[in-house]
Amino acid sequence: MQKTPIILAKPPTDRPPKPAAAPPTPGAPLPEKPIVLMKSREETRPSATGDSVAATPSLPPPSLKVEREGARPTQPVYQIQNRSMAPTTPSTGLDPVIGQTKLHPPERMKHSIKLVDDQMNWCDSAMEYLLDQTDVLVVGIIGLQGTGKSTIMSLLSVNTPEEDARSYVFRTQSQEIKERSGSQTSGIDLFVTQERIIFLDTQPILSPALLDHLINNDRKLPPEYNLPHTYIEMQSLQLAAFLFTVCHAVIIVQDWFTDLNLYRFLQTAEMLKPSTPSPSHELSAGGSGSDEGAEYYPNIVFLQNKARREDFCPRNVKKMHTVINRLMNHSHLKYKVAGRL
Protein backbone atom coordinates (compact mmCIF):
# COMPACT_ATOMS: atom_id res chain seq x y z
CA MET A 1 0.00 0.00 0.00
CA GLN A 2 1.47 3.34 -1.03
CA LYS A 3 1.96 5.83 1.80
CA THR A 4 0.86 9.44 1.51
CA PRO A 5 3.87 11.82 1.71
CA ILE A 6 3.80 14.23 4.69
CA ILE A 7 5.27 17.69 4.10
CA LEU A 8 6.60 19.44 7.20
CA ALA A 9 6.60 23.26 6.98
CA LYS A 10 6.26 26.17 9.39
CA PRO A 11 3.07 28.19 9.39
CA PRO A 12 3.27 31.59 7.64
CA THR A 13 3.17 33.43 11.00
CA ASP A 14 6.37 31.69 12.24
CA ARG A 15 8.40 32.30 9.09
CA PRO A 16 11.01 35.11 9.23
CA PRO A 17 10.18 38.12 7.04
CA LYS A 18 12.04 38.37 3.77
CA PRO A 19 14.53 41.25 3.57
CA ALA A 20 13.47 44.01 1.25
CA ALA A 21 15.46 44.33 -1.93
CA ALA A 22 17.77 47.34 -2.01
CA PRO A 23 16.90 49.92 -4.66
CA PRO A 24 19.29 49.98 -7.61
CA THR A 25 22.02 52.57 -7.47
CA PRO A 26 21.73 55.14 -10.26
CA GLY A 27 24.48 54.72 -12.83
CA ALA A 28 25.34 51.16 -11.75
CA PRO A 29 25.22 48.48 -14.51
CA LEU A 30 22.24 46.18 -14.36
CA PRO A 31 23.04 42.54 -13.58
CA GLU A 32 23.15 40.40 -16.69
CA LYS A 33 20.76 37.54 -17.04
CA PRO A 34 22.39 34.09 -17.14
CA ILE A 35 22.52 32.46 -20.54
CA VAL A 36 21.54 28.78 -20.56
CA LEU A 37 22.70 26.69 -23.51
CA MET A 38 20.88 23.42 -24.09
CA LYS A 39 21.58 20.76 -26.67
CA SER A 40 19.68 17.68 -27.59
CA ARG A 41 21.41 14.32 -27.49
CA GLU A 42 21.19 13.96 -31.25
CA GLU A 43 23.29 17.12 -31.71
CA THR A 44 26.01 15.92 -29.32
CA ARG A 45 26.25 12.44 -30.73
CA PRO A 46 29.83 11.86 -32.03
CA SER A 47 30.65 10.98 -35.58
CA ALA A 48 31.67 7.40 -36.37
CA THR A 49 35.39 7.98 -36.61
CA GLY A 50 38.39 6.12 -35.17
CA ASP A 51 39.33 8.98 -32.83
CA SER A 52 39.61 8.21 -29.17
CA VAL A 53 36.72 9.49 -27.05
CA ALA A 54 36.32 10.78 -23.55
CA ALA A 55 33.23 10.76 -21.32
CA THR A 56 32.16 14.10 -19.83
CA PRO A 57 29.19 14.37 -17.45
CA SER A 58 26.50 16.92 -18.19
CA LEU A 59 23.50 17.87 -16.08
CA PRO A 60 20.14 16.66 -17.32
CA PRO A 61 17.68 19.30 -18.57
CA PRO A 62 15.03 20.43 -16.10
CA SER A 63 11.96 18.27 -16.20
CA LEU A 64 8.43 19.10 -15.14
CA LYS A 65 7.62 15.51 -14.27
CA VAL A 66 7.41 14.63 -10.59
CA GLU A 67 9.28 11.47 -9.63
CA ARG A 68 7.22 8.79 -8.03
CA GLU A 69 7.99 7.58 -4.56
CA GLY A 70 10.36 4.61 -4.63
CA ALA A 71 11.57 5.36 -8.19
CA ARG A 72 15.27 5.48 -8.94
CA PRO A 73 16.74 8.99 -8.68
CA THR A 74 17.68 10.79 -11.84
CA GLN A 75 21.28 10.02 -12.83
CA PRO A 76 23.58 12.45 -14.66
CA VAL A 77 23.71 11.89 -18.39
CA TYR A 78 27.18 11.11 -19.77
CA GLN A 79 27.69 12.44 -23.26
CA ILE A 80 30.47 11.22 -25.50
CA GLN A 81 32.53 13.81 -27.31
CA ASN A 82 35.70 13.65 -29.35
CA ARG A 83 38.83 14.10 -27.29
CA SER A 84 40.21 16.36 -30.02
CA MET A 85 37.38 18.82 -29.28
CA ALA A 86 38.34 19.16 -25.61
CA PRO A 87 40.03 22.51 -24.89
CA THR A 88 42.61 20.93 -22.57
CA THR A 89 44.06 18.65 -25.23
CA PRO A 90 47.22 20.13 -26.75
CA SER A 91 47.10 20.44 -30.50
CA THR A 92 49.53 18.38 -32.53
CA GLY A 93 50.89 19.01 -35.98
CA LEU A 94 49.47 17.51 -39.11
CA ASP A 95 51.27 14.75 -40.94
CA PRO A 96 52.24 16.20 -44.34
CA VAL A 97 51.95 12.76 -45.97
CA ILE A 98 48.48 11.67 -44.94
CA GLY A 99 47.14 15.07 -43.88
CA GLN A 100 45.86 13.84 -40.52
CA THR A 101 46.69 14.70 -36.95
CA LYS A 102 49.66 12.78 -35.59
CA LEU A 103 48.94 10.47 -32.68
CA HIS A 104 51.00 10.63 -29.55
CA PRO A 105 53.54 7.79 -29.26
CA PRO A 106 52.80 5.14 -26.63
CA GLU A 107 54.43 5.26 -23.25
CA ARG A 108 58.08 4.24 -23.46
CA MET A 109 58.76 0.82 -21.95
CA LYS A 110 62.11 -0.25 -20.50
CA HIS A 111 61.35 -3.95 -20.29
CA SER A 112 58.57 -6.38 -21.08
CA ILE A 113 55.62 -6.88 -18.77
CA LYS A 114 53.40 -9.87 -18.12
CA LEU A 115 50.20 -10.04 -20.17
CA VAL A 116 49.13 -13.61 -19.28
CA ASP A 117 50.59 -15.52 -16.35
CA ASP A 118 51.44 -19.22 -16.18
CA GLN A 119 47.88 -19.98 -15.00
CA MET A 120 46.43 -18.41 -18.17
CA ASN A 121 45.03 -15.42 -16.26
CA TRP A 122 45.10 -11.81 -17.47
CA CYS A 123 47.45 -9.44 -15.68
CA ASP A 124 46.18 -5.95 -14.88
CA SER A 125 49.66 -4.41 -15.18
CA ALA A 126 49.54 -4.68 -18.99
CA MET A 127 46.13 -3.10 -19.46
CA GLU A 128 47.43 0.47 -19.20
CA TYR A 129 49.60 -0.11 -22.29
CA LEU A 130 46.75 -1.51 -24.39
CA LEU A 131 45.08 1.53 -25.95
CA ASP A 132 41.73 1.57 -27.69
CA GLN A 133 43.35 2.09 -31.08
CA THR A 134 43.70 -0.08 -34.15
CA ASP A 135 46.79 1.51 -35.72
CA VAL A 136 49.13 -1.12 -34.24
CA LEU A 137 50.97 -4.15 -35.57
CA VAL A 138 50.89 -7.27 -33.39
CA VAL A 139 53.69 -9.83 -33.78
CA GLY A 140 53.73 -13.10 -31.85
CA ILE A 141 56.13 -16.02 -31.68
CA ILE A 142 55.77 -19.78 -31.15
CA GLY A 143 58.47 -22.37 -30.71
CA LEU A 144 59.79 -25.28 -28.72
CA GLN A 145 61.93 -24.91 -25.63
CA GLY A 146 65.39 -23.38 -26.13
CA THR A 147 64.90 -22.24 -29.73
CA GLY A 148 65.69 -18.57 -28.93
CA LYS A 149 62.23 -17.01 -28.99
CA SER A 150 62.99 -14.29 -26.41
CA THR A 151 66.28 -13.41 -28.09
CA ILE A 152 64.61 -13.05 -31.49
CA MET A 153 61.82 -10.85 -30.13
CA SER A 154 64.31 -8.63 -28.28
CA LEU A 155 66.38 -8.12 -31.44
CA LEU A 156 63.28 -7.39 -33.50
CA SER A 157 62.01 -4.80 -31.02
CA VAL A 158 64.71 -2.46 -29.65
CA ASN A 159 67.90 -4.39 -28.83
CA THR A 160 71.00 -5.04 -30.95
CA PRO A 161 73.35 -8.04 -31.03
CA GLU A 162 76.16 -5.92 -29.56
CA GLU A 163 74.25 -5.36 -26.32
CA ASP A 164 74.50 -7.59 -23.29
CA ALA A 165 71.83 -10.30 -23.30
CA ARG A 166 71.00 -9.45 -19.68
CA SER A 167 69.75 -6.03 -20.83
CA TYR A 168 67.31 -7.41 -23.42
CA VAL A 169 63.68 -6.35 -23.05
CA PHE A 170 62.64 -10.02 -23.05
CA ARG A 171 64.56 -12.03 -20.47
CA THR A 172 66.58 -14.85 -21.98
CA GLN A 173 67.75 -18.08 -20.38
CA SER A 174 70.50 -17.66 -17.84
CA GLN A 175 73.35 -20.14 -17.55
CA GLU A 176 71.77 -21.69 -14.46
CA ILE A 177 68.47 -22.26 -16.24
CA LYS A 178 70.25 -23.79 -19.22
CA GLU A 179 72.14 -26.21 -16.99
CA ARG A 180 68.97 -27.53 -15.40
CA SER A 181 67.08 -27.49 -18.76
CA GLY A 182 64.56 -24.97 -17.50
CA SER A 183 62.36 -22.43 -19.23
CA GLN A 184 62.65 -18.67 -18.73
CA THR A 185 59.35 -17.35 -20.13
CA SER A 186 56.02 -18.32 -18.60
CA GLY A 187 52.69 -17.28 -20.03
CA ILE A 188 52.84 -14.32 -22.43
CA ASP A 189 55.11 -11.26 -22.12
CA LEU A 190 54.27 -7.97 -23.86
CA PHE A 191 56.40 -5.12 -25.16
CA VAL A 192 55.18 -2.04 -27.11
CA THR A 193 57.64 -0.02 -29.20
CA GLN A 194 57.45 3.67 -30.07
CA GLU A 195 56.47 2.65 -33.62
CA ARG A 196 53.25 1.09 -32.24
CA ILE A 197 54.37 -2.51 -32.69
CA ILE A 198 53.24 -4.97 -30.02
CA PHE A 199 55.54 -7.97 -29.52
CA LEU A 200 54.18 -11.04 -27.72
CA ASP A 201 56.71 -13.53 -26.38
CA THR A 202 55.20 -16.84 -25.23
CA GLN A 203 56.29 -19.75 -23.12
CA PRO A 204 57.60 -22.78 -25.05
CA ILE A 205 54.98 -25.10 -26.45
CA LEU A 206 54.96 -28.73 -25.29
CA SER A 207 57.69 -27.81 -22.82
CA PRO A 208 59.28 -30.73 -20.88
CA ALA A 209 60.50 -28.24 -18.25
CA LEU A 210 56.96 -27.10 -17.50
CA LEU A 211 55.79 -30.70 -17.38
CA ASP A 212 58.60 -31.62 -14.96
CA HIS A 213 57.77 -28.61 -12.77
CA LEU A 214 54.10 -29.60 -12.77
CA ILE A 215 54.81 -33.17 -11.69
CA ASN A 216 57.54 -32.56 -9.11
CA ASN A 217 55.70 -29.75 -7.34
CA ASP A 218 52.43 -31.68 -7.13
CA ARG A 219 50.48 -28.80 -8.57
CA LYS A 220 46.75 -29.36 -8.61
CA LEU A 221 45.37 -29.77 -12.10
CA PRO A 222 42.05 -28.29 -13.24
CA PRO A 223 39.19 -30.75 -12.88
CA GLU A 224 38.83 -31.21 -16.65
CA TYR A 225 42.38 -32.61 -16.97
CA ASN A 226 43.43 -35.98 -15.59
CA LEU A 227 47.05 -36.18 -16.77
CA PRO A 228 49.78 -33.51 -16.56
CA HIS A 229 50.96 -33.90 -20.14
CA THR A 230 47.39 -33.41 -21.38
CA TYR A 231 47.21 -30.15 -19.46
CA ILE A 232 50.54 -28.92 -20.92
CA GLU A 233 49.42 -29.80 -24.45
CA MET A 234 46.08 -28.02 -24.10
CA GLN A 235 47.78 -25.00 -22.56
CA SER A 236 50.12 -24.82 -25.56
CA LEU A 237 47.20 -25.10 -27.98
CA GLN A 238 45.39 -22.28 -26.18
CA LEU A 239 48.42 -20.01 -26.53
CA ALA A 240 48.78 -20.80 -30.23
CA ALA A 241 45.06 -20.28 -30.91
CA PHE A 242 45.19 -16.96 -29.05
CA LEU A 243 48.10 -15.74 -31.20
CA PHE A 244 46.32 -16.87 -34.37
CA THR A 245 43.38 -14.68 -33.30
CA VAL A 246 45.05 -11.41 -32.23
CA CYS A 247 48.33 -11.26 -34.22
CA HIS A 248 48.98 -9.89 -37.67
CA ALA A 249 52.11 -12.05 -37.99
CA VAL A 250 53.19 -15.15 -36.05
CA ILE A 251 56.80 -16.36 -36.16
CA ILE A 252 57.28 -20.14 -35.97
CA VAL A 253 60.80 -20.83 -34.65
CA GLN A 254 62.58 -24.15 -35.05
CA ASP A 255 66.21 -25.19 -34.80
CA TRP A 256 66.26 -27.49 -37.80
CA PHE A 257 64.16 -28.29 -40.84
CA THR A 258 61.75 -29.74 -40.14
CA ASP A 259 59.72 -31.18 -37.24
CA LEU A 260 56.56 -32.89 -38.44
CA ASN A 261 55.03 -32.82 -34.96
CA LEU A 262 55.26 -29.02 -35.02
CA TYR A 263 53.14 -28.86 -38.19
CA ARG A 264 50.57 -31.22 -36.67
CA PHE A 265 50.47 -28.92 -33.66
CA LEU A 266 49.88 -25.84 -35.86
CA GLN A 267 47.03 -27.52 -37.72
CA THR A 268 45.38 -28.55 -34.44
CA ALA A 269 45.69 -25.01 -33.06
CA GLU A 270 44.18 -23.67 -36.28
CA MET A 271 41.11 -25.88 -35.78
CA LEU A 272 40.75 -24.65 -32.19
CA LYS A 273 41.08 -21.00 -33.17
CA PRO A 274 37.99 -18.93 -32.25
CA SER A 275 35.93 -17.59 -35.10
CA THR A 276 37.14 -14.08 -35.97
CA PRO A 277 35.82 -12.12 -38.96
CA SER A 278 38.32 -10.31 -41.15
CA PRO A 279 38.56 -6.52 -40.74
CA SER A 280 36.59 -4.41 -43.20
CA HIS A 281 39.71 -2.82 -44.69
CA GLU A 282 41.08 -6.24 -45.63
CA LEU A 283 37.83 -7.16 -47.35
CA SER A 284 37.79 -3.88 -49.29
CA ALA A 285 41.42 -4.36 -50.32
CA GLY A 286 40.59 -7.75 -51.78
CA GLY A 287 37.97 -6.23 -54.04
CA SER A 288 35.66 -9.25 -53.81
CA GLY A 289 32.23 -8.83 -52.32
CA SER A 290 31.83 -12.60 -51.85
CA ASP A 291 34.48 -12.61 -49.10
CA GLU A 292 32.26 -10.63 -46.75
CA GLY A 293 32.30 -12.30 -43.33
CA ALA A 294 35.40 -14.32 -44.19
CA GLU A 295 37.46 -15.83 -41.39
CA TYR A 296 40.60 -13.99 -40.26
CA TYR A 297 43.96 -15.78 -40.33
CA PRO A 298 47.38 -14.27 -39.60
CA ASN A 299 50.56 -14.34 -41.66
CA ILE A 300 52.95 -17.13 -40.72
CA VAL A 301 56.74 -16.79 -40.89
CA PHE A 302 58.85 -19.94 -40.53
CA LEU A 303 62.23 -19.16 -39.00
CA GLN A 304 65.11 -21.64 -38.78
CA ASN A 305 67.26 -20.26 -36.00
CA LYS A 306 70.32 -22.51 -36.33
CA ALA A 307 70.65 -22.63 -40.11
CA ARG A 308 73.82 -23.91 -41.74
CA ARG A 309 75.57 -22.41 -44.72
CA GLU A 310 74.30 -25.08 -47.12
CA ASP A 311 70.72 -24.34 -46.10
CA PHE A 312 70.88 -21.10 -48.09
CA CYS A 313 71.60 -22.95 -51.35
CA PRO A 314 68.80 -22.18 -53.86
CA ARG A 315 68.17 -25.89 -54.38
CA ASN A 316 67.72 -26.52 -50.66
CA VAL A 317 65.52 -23.43 -50.29
CA LYS A 318 63.29 -24.73 -53.09
CA LYS A 319 63.01 -28.10 -51.32
CA MET A 320 61.99 -26.35 -48.11
CA HIS A 321 59.27 -24.44 -49.95
CA THR A 322 58.02 -27.67 -51.50
CA VAL A 323 57.84 -29.46 -48.15
CA ILE A 324 56.04 -26.56 -46.46
CA ASN A 325 53.53 -26.27 -49.31
CA ARG A 326 52.67 -29.97 -49.03
CA LEU A 327 52.40 -29.95 -45.24
CA MET A 328 50.32 -26.75 -45.15
CA ASN A 329 48.31 -27.46 -48.28
CA HIS A 330 44.95 -27.58 -46.46
CA SER A 331 45.73 -24.79 -44.01
CA HIS A 332 44.14 -21.34 -44.14
CA LEU A 333 47.15 -19.70 -42.49
CA LYS A 334 48.86 -17.18 -44.77
CA TYR A 335 52.27 -18.75 -45.18
CA LYS A 336 52.80 -17.97 -48.87
CA VAL A 337 54.53 -14.71 -49.84
CA ALA A 338 55.24 -13.02 -53.15
CA GLY A 339 59.01 -12.87 -52.70
CA ARG A 340 61.42 -15.66 -51.85
CA LEU A 341 64.87 -15.95 -50.33
Side-chain angles (χ1 to χ4, degrees), residues 19 25 54 69-70 86 95 99 104 111 170 187 209 213 223 234 251 285 292 321:
T25 305
E69 183 179 0
D95 193 334
H104 292 285
H111 54 80
F170 293 101
H213 178 74
M234 287 304 301
I251 303 175
E292 186 175 357
H321 280 281

Side-chain angles (χ1 to χ4, degrees), residues 30-191:
L30 296 177
E32 298 180 357
K33 294 183 179 181
I35 301 175
V36 180
L37 298 180
M38 299 177 59
K39 284 186 178 182
S40 61
R41 293 191 179 183
E42 287 74 11
E43 295 177 357
T44 57
R45 186 172 301 170
S47 59
T49 59
D51 299 337
S52 57
V53 296
T56 57
S58 63
L59 296 178
S63 177
L64 299 178
K65 296 182 180 179
V66 181
E67 295 183 356
R68 298 180 180 177
E69 183 179 0
R72 298 182 63 181
T74 305
Q75 299 292 336
V77 180
Y78 288 87
Q79 299 178 352
I80 306 300
Q81 67 178 10
N82 292 334
R83 186 175 297 176
S84 58
M85 300 297 294
T88 57
T89 304
S91 59
T92 56
L94 295 178
D95 193 334
V97 179
I98 61 177
Q100 297 180 358
T101 304
K102 295 181 180 179
L103 296 176
H104 292 285
E107 185 178 351
R108 185 177 297 274
M109 301 177 60
K110 297 181 179 179
H111 54 80
S112 61
I113 58 177
K114 188 68 65 180
L115 177 65
V116 179
D117 59 11
D118 55 350
Q119 299 295 327
M120 299 294 108
N121 297 321
W122 291 98
C123 299
D124 296 335
S125 58
M127 294 306 169
E128 57 181 310
Y129 295 95
L130 299 179
L131 305 177
D132 189 13
Q133 296 173 348
T134 58
D135 60 329
V136 294
L137 176 66
V138 185
V139 180
I141 194 167
I142 296 176
L144 300 176
Q145 181 175 320
T147 54
K149 298 181 297 299
S150 300
T151 303
I152 293 172
M153 297 300 275
S154 298
L155 296 177
L156 289 177
S157 55
V158 295
N159 297 115
T160 59
E162 292 77 16
E163 298 180 20
D164 188 0
R166 292 174 295 182
S167 63
Y168 284 178
V169 292
F170 293 101
R171 294 183 59 186
T172 59
Q173 284 181 322
S174 61
Q175 187 63 30
E176 179 184 359
I177 295 179
K178 290 181 180 180
E179 291 175 355
R180 57 184 177 89
S181 299
S183 173
Q184 180 64 51
T185 307
S186 61
I188 301 178
D189 292 341
L190 173 140
F191 185 83

